[in-house]
Amino acid sequence: MWFSFWRSRDRFSLDELRYLTNQLQKVQIVNDVNKDFVIEALRSIAELLTYGDQHDSSFFEFFMEKQVMGEFIRILKISKTVTVSLQLLQTISILIQNLRREHAIYYMFSNEHVNYLITYSFDFRNEELLSYYISFLRAISGKLNKNTISLLLKTQGEEVVSFPLYVEAIRFAFHEESMVRTAVRAITLNVYHVGDEFVNKFIASAPHSDYFSNLVSFFRDQCINLSKLFSERPKNPCSESVSAMLAKVDEIEDNLYYFSDVISAGIPVVGSLITDNILQLLILPLLFPALQIDADSNLKIGAVTSLYLLCCILRIVKIKDLANTIAAALLYPLETFAANSEVKINGYVSGNNCANESEEPLVDSVTPVNAGQLCVDIPNKATSSQVHPGGIIAERDFSCSHLSLRETLLSYVTDGDDARALGSLSVLATLLQTKELDESMLDGLGILPQRKQHKKLLLQALVGEGSGEEQLFSFESGSARDSISSELDGYLKKLKEQYGVSIGGAAASPRIRRNQDSYRNCRSALVQETKGIWVDLLITVLCDQWKKCKRAIEASSPRKEPKCILLPFQKLNSEDIPAESSFTAGERMSELVKVFVLLHQLQIFSLGRTLPEQPPIQPQIDIPEISRARAAGLDVSGPKPGTEVKFVHALPCRIAFERGKERHFHFLAVSVGTLGWVLLAEELPLKQNYGIVRVAAPLAGTNPRIDDKHARWLHLRIRPSTLPFLDAPKSGTPGETRIKSLVDGRWTLAFRDDKSCKTALSMILEEINLQNMEVERRLKPVLDLEL
């Protein structure tokens, strides 16, 4: 008998569950003496019920019969320790997560026990307790469907008057701990995706709808913090500052993806609430003004951050009304969004005479825009505008405060820094790829692709619309001839009536032609580079940039995510490089070629032509029979140290590469096609009038000069043979590449007499001229694009 009494019970048995329940019922107060037993009993009960749900239904039947959920609530009420509350929340969370039988979940959610726990006044100053509580709420939300959700509601008639799970969860929506915020968002999404009509009405009604405005306000604060990090980065350009900025970027994009997930639940009112709040709290008062106002203003968000955020919003938050409203707003003048601002707009001063602070606007001739190119709509102006070559400025009698946001974006492309140019191009590219955007909006903005314009005009012609047939075969693009569509009119009206955005006396409309100043100016600058320091690398850099740009233009989507707008551009970490050095000139040449190639390919692309694989340049020609290179016995590969040359035009000279160590050479300048060298050769003792090349340096950039006091001395600048940043390594801190900078060398050649020195100078200038002419000849086809 005694053996039977002390016989151990089967751990996974109904007897064990009965024993534990009985013991809990005997507990009258929970304190330090018995808390360990209570905690263990709660944990074991959860384990037994999970086992019973999969193997023996009698376990849960006992649980219901003895109203163990009620015992749990009683234990919570009489408990004086946090650890018991923690275990109780964990026990019920485990039960809810692991119970598979539908009737078991129904029982758990009934009798108001779960709602009591949801609304219980826990001490959330204990972070661990808050974590368990949020996990408890998340477990409940994971079991919601159209049947179970009704067990957690209180209704009057068909109206939901109380929903503790949702109301208590969103209390922690903006908690400082990101894990808590993430869990709350998961809870809300589980609620939204149930699709209960009455619950949807509840969450979209006041005061619960305030959650969405608070959500956007919280997002707005994150955007402001990001802009602050971006503006402070130049002062603290370390890897930690970039990491902090990228962490904030991840938070912002997570927020936007949450907006997108909420919208995907298909609750129309909620989609409208998010659209309205994003427009009213962020885009209209902050992002758009940031694009217009001078960087010296006190706006909370800068232009680059604004461009990045617009890209992200359009790319992630897929709401048709939001995308089309943003596009329509781009046609509004600057003063619309900065009417009350007293700071300068885009560096210009409002008034009748619109000019840059530092200079008067230049007036250039106007060239008509070809079909498929960007056209700008400015109101109440029958005549064409004239364009400042350094930026997009309207006519003298047109206040620059009326420049549209679209014009501002284009001005950043043509006259902004790298970050703003990239940001503006990214916004325009994102607009083109936004499926929610009506084609009429792209047409109004002047960026509707040519093939779509022709398709639209062809359809108009087929159905008998005369204007469509006329425009289809006319020189001008359809977008430049059509009236603004009803869709665009609708969104312009919505901006005015719903968001209070008034155009005033100047709306974006009839046709100002945009000429090709930017491309022409860039082309002229490139022609100047054919006489520059790096003329010998000009074609190489152009061909390389052609391939890169072609890949980017023809890509189905941008190769980089919007956050690349915020990352510092790859620049060499070179200190104390003089502004007049060949290195600086090389960076400038490389950037100029990059811009020229982009603009050139955009011209071809906008004209509906196919981009060739290689730039249209002339092939290389053989060395002319009458030339210094031919006379020296060189071939097209050019000279190298150790190459044998004939002394036909070579001049004896002396040079000291080290102090006190003067050496004797024969000097020769030669060009072979687009390449050129200055050579120092040692005479061969056994072969008269022949020598071996000992030193070869680039001809371009030598900047020869006879010394003012010593007429036999010739000074040359010797630049590096290549640009190190063209092959910069890709590793290291984002935006920074550490490369050993190469400095310019200086040669002083001493010739026998004044005449020899002058002959050497003439030789260099003649060969440089031949080199420059050959580069210009080969580039002629790419420079002669018909606009």
Side-chain angles (χ1 to χ4, degrees):
M1 183 180 68
W2 287 108
F3 176 78
S4 176
F5 180 80
W6 288 108
R7 185 177 59 190
S8 62
R9 295 177 303 276
D10 183 1
R11 181 184 176 191
F12 292 102
S13 67
L14 189 58
D15 287 343
E16 179 71 8
L17 178 60
R18 184 179 291 109
Y19 168 77
L20 292 171
T21 303
N22 290 337
Q23 294 302 310
L24 274 183
Q25 290 173 340
K26 295 176 182 179
V27 175
Q28 298 303 312
I29 188 171
V30 181
N31 52 31
D32 290 340
V33 176
N34 62 353
K35 68 177 182 179
D36 290 340
F37 165 76
V38 172
I39 290 171
E40 180 60 25
L42 292 171
R43 188 196 63 76
S44 298
I45 288 173
E47 190 176 26
L48 285 166
L49 289 173
T50 301
Y51 171 82
D53 186 68
Q54 301 175 18
H55 298 90
D56 189 346
S57 62
S58 62
F59 281 65
F60 199 80
E61 290 173 1
F62 176 84
F63 180 80
M64 293 188 291
E65 179 186 346
K66 296 300 181 180
Q67 298 185 13
V68 180
M69 275 293 290
E71 281 301 313
F72 289 168
I73 300 300
R74 187 183 69 83
I75 292 294
L76 179 64
K77 291 179 179 179
I78 63 174
S79 175
K80 304 296 182 183
T81 61
V82 173
T83 53
V84 172
S85 299
L86 290 172
Q87 184 58 55
L88 182 62
L89 288 172
Q90 186 183 46
T91 294
I92 299 178
S93 298
I94 291 173
L95 286 175
I96 292 172
Q97 286 174 329
N98 291 283
L99 292 176
R100 299 178 181 179
R101 301 186 182 186
E102 194 172 8
H103 79 279
I105 296 297
Y106 287 170
Y107 175 79
M108 294 292 294
F109 287 2
S110 62
N111 300 320
E112 286 295 308
H113 292 316
V114 168
N115 273 345
Y116 180 84
L117 287 171
I118 291 173
T119 56
Y120 187 79
S121 298
F122 292 103
D123 184 3
F124 292 125
R125 289 175 297 181
N126 185 304
E127 294 181 2
E128 189 178 11
L129 183 59
L130 175 59
S131 176
Y132 276 73
Y133 176 77
I134 294 297
S135 296
F136 165 64
L137 298 186
R138 188 169 185 174
I140 297 170
S141 72
K143 295 294 184 178
L144 293 180
N145 56 43
K146 289 191 175 182
N147 295 320
T148 58
I149 197 170
S150 62
L151 300 172
L152 300 174
L153 306 173
K154 288 184 179 179
T155 60
Q156 290 181 359
E158 293 187 343
E159 182 178 353
V160 177
V161 295
S162 175
F163 187 10
L165 173 64
Y166 182 78
V167 172
E168 295 302 318
I170 62 176
R171 284 179 53 204
F172 301 97
F174 311 108
H175 193 270
E176 60 184 8
E177 177 57 52
S178 62
M179 301 258 318
V180 173
R181 296 197 303 269
T182 300
V184 170
R185 292 178 180 183
I187 294 167
T188 58
L189 289 175
N190 287 336
V191 171
Y192 303 151
H193 281 279
V194 169
D196 185 281
E197 177 184 352
F198 302 107
V199 172
N200 292 347
K201 185 177 179 182
F202 174 82
I203 63 179
S205 62
H208 316 296
S209 59
D210 291 345
Y211 169 66
F212 300 104
S213 59
N214 294 335
L215 194 64
V216 177
S217 296
F218 179 77
F219 177 68
R220 178 189 60 193
D221 292 341
Q222 288 185 313
C223 296
I224 293 171
N225 290 336
L226 174 65
S227 186
K228 183 178 179 182
L229 287 172
F230 180 79
S231 63
E232 291 176 350
R233 193 195 65 214
K235 305 173 188 175
N236 184 28
C238 60
S239 59
E240 288 78 9
S241 66
V242 175
S243 298
M245 190 171 65
L246 289 176
K248 184 61 66 177
V249 163
D250 289 340
E251 286 185 23
I252 283 175
E253 294 189 5
D254 285 345
N255 272 281
L256 290 174
Y257 279 113
Y258 174 62
F259 291 154
S260 179
D261 290 339
V262 172
I263 293 159
S264 70
I267 308 174
V269 178
V270 171
S272 298
L273 285 170
I274 291 177
T275 297
D276 292 345
N277 281 294
I278 289 178
L279 286 167
Q280 292 177 336
L281 298 178
L282 180 64
I283 294 177
L284 299 180
L286 287 181
L287 300 192
F288 282 165
L291 299 179
Q292 315 159 55
I293 308 300
D294 189 5
D296 293 334
S297 69
N298 294 319
L299 287 179
K300 295 180 179 179
I301 292 182
V304 176
T305 307
S306 174
L307 293 167
Y308 158 74
L309 291 169
L310 285 172
C311 283
C312 285
I313 291 170
L314 288 167
R315 186 171 64 93
I316 298 173
V317 186
K318 299 184 181 300
I319 304 178
K320 181 177 180 179
D321 271 2
L322 180 61
N324 284 282
T325 304
I326 291 173
L330 294 179
L331 297 173
Y332 278 69
L334 303 182
E335 64 179 7
T336 303
F337 303 100
N340 298 322
S341 176
E342 296 181 358
V343 295
K344 294 166 294 204
I345 300 179
N346 262 359
Y348 309 123
V349 184
S350 299
N352 292 330
N353 295 321
C354 179
N356 188 289
E357 285 186 69
S358 60
E359 60 182 22
E360 290 296 319
L362 302 177
V363 179
D364 295 335
S365 61
V366 178
T367 304
V369 180
N370 287 348
Q373 295 173 345
L374 304 180
C375 295
V376 181
D377 298 335
I378 301 291
N380 305 326
K381 302 288 291 181
T383 59
S384 299
S385 74
Q386 294 167 315
V387 182
H388 191 294
I392 303 173
I393 302 179
E395 293 181 46
R396 285 179 180 270
D397 62 344
F398 182 64
S399 174
C400 65
S401 64
H402 291 303
L403 284 173
S404 69
L405 279 170
R406 173 189 176 281
E407 280 289 87
T408 305
L409 291 179
L410 294 174
S411 72
Y412 285 156
V413 174
T414 58
D415 196 40
D417 57 27
D418 288 344
R420 294 189 184 198
L422 176 60
S424 297
L425 286 170
S426 297
V427 169
L428 294 171
T430 304
L431 285 168
L432 282 168
Q433 294 164 348
T434 301
K435 296 179 180 179
E436 292 75 24
L437 201 61
D438 290 335
E439 286 190 0
S440 61
M441 295 298 174
L442 297 176
D443 203 10
L445 289 171
I447 58 175
L448 182 66
Q450 188 184 51
R451 64 182 183 277
K452 291 187 176 182
Q453 292 180 23
H454 279 220
K455 178 181 177 182
K456 182 185 72 173
L457 296 176
L458 180 61
L459 288 173
Q460 291 176 355
L462 289 173
V463 298
E465 295 182 14
S467 60
E469 183 176 0
E470 178 186 351
Q471 293 172 40
L472 179 62
F473 300 105
S474 69
F475 177 74
E476 297 179 352
S477 68
S479 62
R481 299 283 302 273
D482 283 340
S483 60
I484 295 178
S485 68
S486 59
E487 291 90 345
L488 181 55
D489 280 335
Y491 282 104
L492 293 173
K493 183 179 180 182
K494 182 177 181 179
L495 276 165
K496 180 179 180 180
E497 295 180 352
Q498 188 168 340
Y499 303 111
V501 179
S502 178
I503 299 177
S509 182
R511 324 303 160 209
I512 284 190
R513 306 290 190 193
R514 178 185 268 315
N515 67 10
Q516 305 300 323
D517 273 347
S518 179
Y519 175 73
R520 295 182 189 279
N521 290 344
C522 193
R523 176 188 177 279
S524 298
L526 189 64
V527 171
Q528 292 300 314
E529 284 296 332
T530 63
K531 303 174 180 62
I533 296 174
W534 294 93
V535 62
D536 50 341
L537 286 184
L538 191 58
I539 291 178
T540 301
V541 173
L542 188 142
C543 291
D544 180 61
Q545 292 298 332
W546 186 276
K547 294 176 184 177
K548 293 178 180 178
C549 187
K550 184 175 185 293
R551 283 199 303 268
I553 286 180
E554 293 180 343
S556 58
S557 61
R559 297 175 63 87
K560 296 182 179 180
E561 295 183 356
K563 63 184 175 186
C564 70
I565 299 169
L566 300 172
L567 296 176
F569 285 82
Q570 297 290 336
K571 292 185 179 179
L572 293 180
N573 187 22
S574 305
E575 299 177 356
D576 303 323
I577 297 178
E580 68 277 4
S581 72
S582 66
F583 182 89
T584 304
E587 282 191 315
R588 186 168 58 247
M589 180 273 289
S590 181
E591 288 299 313
L592 172 65
V593 171
K594 186 185 301 182
V595 174
F596 170 81
V597 169
L598 172 62
L599 294 175
H600 186 93
Q601 292 192 3
L602 286 175
Q603 297 294 333
I604 296 174
F605 189 75
S606 66
L607 293 171
R609 302 177 187 171
T610 302
L611 290 177
E613 291 297 326
Q614 298 290 337
I617 58 177
Q618 296 284 9
Q620 184 175 339
I621 59 174
D622 293 334
I623 303 175
E625 288 297 328
I626 302 176
S627 66
R628 292 186 176 91
R630 180 73 73 180
L634 297 174
D635 56 24
V636 292
S637 63
K640 299 178 181 65
T643 301
E644 184 177 290
V645 293
K646 188 175 183 180
F647 290 164
V648 177
H649 300 281
L651 299 169
C653 68
R654 292 173 290 119
I655 184 171
F657 291 112
E658 298 179 52
R659 183 181 295 274
K661 294 184 179 181
E662 195 174 74
R663 298 178 62 182
H664 292 262
F665 291 104
H666 277 67
F667 171 81
L668 182 65
V670 295
S671 63
V672 177
T674 61
L675 304 176
W677 299 268
V678 287
L679 308 176
L680 297 178
E682 285 185 338
E683 187 175 9
L684 288 172
L686 301 179
K687 196 172 183 180
Q688 191 175 6
N689 292 328
Y690 281 87
I692 296 293
V693 174
R694 296 303 182 192
V695 182
L699 174 67
T702 49
N703 191 25
R705 178 180 61 84
I706 294 176
D707 190 86
D708 296 334
K709 296 181 179 179
H710 303 85
R712 296 181 300 156
W713 291 6
L714 183 65
H715 298 291
L716 302 179
R717 174 175 64 182
I718 304 300
R719 43 143 263 232
S721 59
T722 186
L723 289 167
F725 55 80
L726 294 180
D727 300 311
K730 297 181 180 179
S731 59
T733 302
E736 183 177 290
T737 304
R738 293 185 176 273
I739 293 180
K740 182 180 179 181
S741 59
L742 302 176
V743 297
D744 296 336
R746 302 288 172 180
W747 286 2
T748 300
L749 302 173
F751 292 91
R752 292 178 177 175
D753 49 42
D754 299 0
K755 182 179 179 181
S756 297
C757 188
K758 290 179 181 178
T759 301
L761 174 63
S762 298
M763 184 193 312
I764 293 174
L765 295 178
E766 288 172 9
E767 293 299 318
I768 287 177
N769 185 54
L770 290 172
Q771 181 183 22
N772 295 347
M773 289 174 60
E774 175 61 11
V775 172
E776 190 167 359
R777 181 195 71 81
R778 293 191 63 190
L779 287 178
K780 191 174 187 302
V782 81
L783 294 172
D784 287 349
L785 175 69
E786 292 184 9
L787 299 178

